[in-house]
Amino acid sequence: MRSMRRGIKEMDLILSAYADRNLTAMEPSDLDNYDALLHENDQDLYQWVTGQLQPPETYSELISDIAQTFQK
C-alpha cells in the first residue's frame, strides 16, 4: 500500500509497478531495504530513479532495479 500512496503521482506509478512485479519474490533483507527506501522523500526518489541524482550507495542496486522495471 505504501508503494501506491506516495504523495506525487509519478512515484505512485513507478513504485506500485515495481511492487506488483517484485515484492513476492524478494528476500527478507531486500524487503527491509525496500521498506527503508519507502521512508525517503518522494522528490529524492524520483530524481534517483530518473537518473537526475546519484542515489545513496545503500539504495543504488534497488534504485537501478526500480528504474529498469519502470522502463519496461
Side-chain angles (χ1 to χ4, degrees), residues 1-3 6 15 18-19 23 26-42 45 48 58-59 62-63 66:
M1 181 60 80
R2 288 182 30 221
S3 297
R6 297 294 311 163
L15 293 178
Y18 179 78
L23 288 187
M26 291 175 82
E27 297 292 325
S29 62
D30 296 329
L31 286 170
D32 290 341
N33 195 34
Y34 184 71
D35 184 58
L37 179 78
L38 292 177
H39 287 90
E40 296 292 335
N41 181 290
D42 268 2
L45 287 173
W48 297 339
T58 306
Y59 301 128
L62 178 56
I63 292 293
I66 292 169

Side-chain angles (χ1 to χ4, degrees), residues 1 6-7 12-13 16 18 25 36-37 48-49 60-61 65 72:
M1 181 60 80
R6 297 294 311 163
D12 292 349
L13 296 171
S16 63
Y18 179 78
L37 179 78
W48 297 339
V49 170
S60 62
E61 187 175 324
D65 194 33
K72 291 180 183 175

Side-chain angles (χ1 to χ4, degrees), residues 10 43-55 63 67:
E10 291 86 349
Q43 285 76 21
D44 293 337
L45 287 173
Y46 185 75
Q47 289 180 327
W48 297 339
V49 170
T50 59
Q52 296 174 34
L53 289 176
Q54 186 70 24
I63 292 293

